[in-house]
Each structure stands twice: as structure tokens, then as C-alpha cells.
Amino acid sequence: MKKTICGAVLLQACACLLFGSAAMAQDKPDERYTYVTYSVCDLTQQERADEIFAQLQKPVYDAAVADGTIKSWGWLAHHTGGKWRRAMYFGSTSVQGLLDAQTKIGDQIDAKNEKLSNEFGKICNSHDDYIWRTVAGNIGTVARGSAAFSVYHVCDQGREEQADALVTQVFAPVYDKLLAEGKIMSWGWNEHIVGGDFRRLATISAKDMKSLMEARAAIVETMYDNPLGDTFTDICGPHTDYMWEITSQNP
């Protein structure tokens, strides 16, 4: 890629974000926040953790969706990537909503079967917690596919809003086209609210791993063909990739 920065396009993108948001303020949809616990688990016992989740936690999370405590939830199994072996996420329209749900659901799970809860904790005995806010995409509003690709970015914190503008104005149409063609089932660009070093999360899902990787290849090719791709990688260069199997979710 050529190291080219198109200032006019960036300014236009930022202007569209500012004035477009103001114009649609009255019709602004609910904010979407996601609490994710990324767990490091005993590889020889992680399938047992899946069994415990299905028996113990899943009914509690389903009930929380039914009564409006949370908007959605999902259980992810590691396919390819780093140290995280399992991930549990749930969504709400506010950070406080997430924190309230965490307390309520955690108490219900412990009260339901403390022995199983403790067994789960011994298998997946360390974790990293993140809270993300959805900046763009349909994630959190639709069911995801069974396969997901997530890119966890470390970004220049002084230029993160510029990266957001690039995604929203330049790359979002690429994701939306793949969505309309049925090549992906969801996508999201998320900003860090609470957690570790990762500042942005890009994620897509598809019906299976083959479809997922074909869509991923199309996205990467488009970014390389666009000179603004270099600008984006200048801002959010270092990253870690994960491929997940979404083994259970609601909706």
C-alpha cells in the first residue's frame, strides 16, 4: 500500500459524522454496550466447561433476555488465535445496565448450583474483562453466524476518532455490501470503555468458517486497494486476531 493520506476525504468523513449525527439526533437508536469475559481455561477440561455452561449458566442468561435484564448473550469457543479459550458476552443499552446485570446474573448462578459454579471456575481460572460500545454495525441487533472473526486493535488514543470516521464512512459500505449479499451475517466496530490494552474491536460473523474466511479475504483486499487503508493502519496498527465458534447465543 502507498503511504497516502487523503485529507479532504477524512475531513468529509468527519463532517458527515458530526452533521449527520446532529441531524438524526431525535431518531438516534439506543446505545449498544457489550460486556465480554475472555477466559483462559484448562485445555484438557474446556469441553467440561462447555457442559457446565449449558447446564448452569445458559438458562439464567436466557431468562435474563426474556425479562429484559439484558438484550442478548453468546458463548464463544476458541478456534484460532491467542490465549483466550472461551468468551462469554452479554449486551445492554448502558454501562450501568451491564454492571447491574452482571451482579444479578452472577448471584443467580451461584445460588442455583455453587458446586458447579466452583468447578467451572477451576477449569477457566483466569480471565480478562472488557466493556465495548458499538460505534457502527448491526452487532447486538441480530443473531450472529456460527463462525466469527475478531480483530483486537491497539490504537493511537489521540487519533481513535479518526479511525472511527474511516470505518464508518469508508469501510462500513464494504461490510454492508457483504451483509446484503449474505456473505456475512453481522459486523461491528466497537470502542473500548473498560478493560485492557485493546482499544478497538472489529468483528464479523458468517454461517460457517469457509464463508467467514472468504468474507475476511474480500475485506482485506478492499482495504489494501484503498489508500486510506494505510491511514487506518497508522492509527490502529498492532492487533491480535481470533477466530471463534459461536456455540450458543440468544438471540
Side-chain angles (χ1 to χ4, degrees):
M1 290 184 291
K2 296 180 180 179
K3 294 290 182 181
T4 305
I5 299 178
C6 184
V9 174
L10 290 178
L11 288 173
Q12 183 181 17
C14 292
C16 288
L17 279 176
L18 291 171
F19 296 112
S21 297
M24 296 184 294
Q26 292 182 345
D27 300 323
K28 186 177 179 181
D30 289 337
E31 293 277 355
R32 285 172 278 154
Y33 293 87
T34 307
Y35 193 112
V36 190
T37 298
Y38 300 98
S39 295
V40 179
C41 308
D42 180 345
L43 272 64
T44 66
Q45 295 292 316
Q46 59 188 9
E47 286 79 12
R48 173 57 181 160
D50 295 335
E51 293 174 356
I52 295 173
F53 177 83
Q55 178 181 345
L56 179 62
Q57 288 108 312
K58 182 180 183 297
V60 178
Y61 281 106
D62 280 337
V65 171
D67 68 20
T69 299
I70 58 176
K71 295 294 185 180
S72 60
W73 68 264
W75 178 248
L76 283 63
H78 174 282
H79 181 283
T80 303
K83 66 178 182 178
W84 296 329
R85 301 302 302 180
R86 294 294 185 270
M88 172 65 213
Y89 71 85
F90 60 92
S92 182
T93 56
S94 68
V95 173
Q96 190 59 53
L98 292 176
L99 298 178
D100 291 344
Q102 181 194 35
T103 299
K104 178 181 177 180
I105 292 170
D107 289 346
Q108 290 176 339
I109 289 171
D110 288 340
K112 185 177 179 181
N113 193 320
E114 187 175 357
K115 182 180 178 180
L116 278 181
S117 184
N118 289 338
E119 183 183 356
F120 181 91
K122 289 178 181 178
I123 297 170
C124 298
N125 56 19
S126 67
H127 64 269
D128 295 299
D129 292 326
Y130 276 79
I131 293 177
W132 302 102
R133 185 184 76 88
T134 300
V135 176
N138 67 345
I139 192 168
T141 65
V142 297
R144 303 170 75 187
S146 62
F149 198 111
S150 294
V151 183
Y152 301 88
H153 292 277
V154 178
C155 305
D156 178 349
Q157 295 186 38
R159 301 174 67 196
E160 288 174 340
E161 291 186 1
Q162 187 180 357
D164 294 341
L166 282 169
V167 171
T168 303
Q169 299 299 321
V170 179
F171 302 123
V174 178
Y175 290 113
D176 287 338
K177 182 174 184 292
L178 291 171
L179 192 67
E181 294 171 348
K183 295 178 180 178
I184 62 174
M185 294 182 65
S186 67
W187 73 273
W189 176 252
N190 305 275
E191 71 168 328
H192 171 281
I193 300 297
V194 176
D197 294 332
F198 295 123
R199 299 295 303 176
R200 290 297 187 272
L201 164 60
T203 185
I204 61 172
S205 75
K207 63 181 181 179
D208 52 41
M209 283 295 172
K210 183 177 184 293
S211 300
L212 180 71
M213 297 312 294
E214 288 174 349
R216 171 69 179 164
I219 292 166
V220 170
E221 182 179 357
T222 300
M223 288 186 67
Y224 272 96
D225 288 344
N226 191 317
L228 289 175
D230 282 343
T231 306
F232 177 84
T233 54
D234 282 342
I235 302 169
C236 297
H239 63 273
T240 299
D241 296 336
Y242 276 81
M243 292 164 62
W244 298 103
E245 295 176 350
I246 303 179
T247 59
S248 190
Q249 63 178 309
N250 183 355

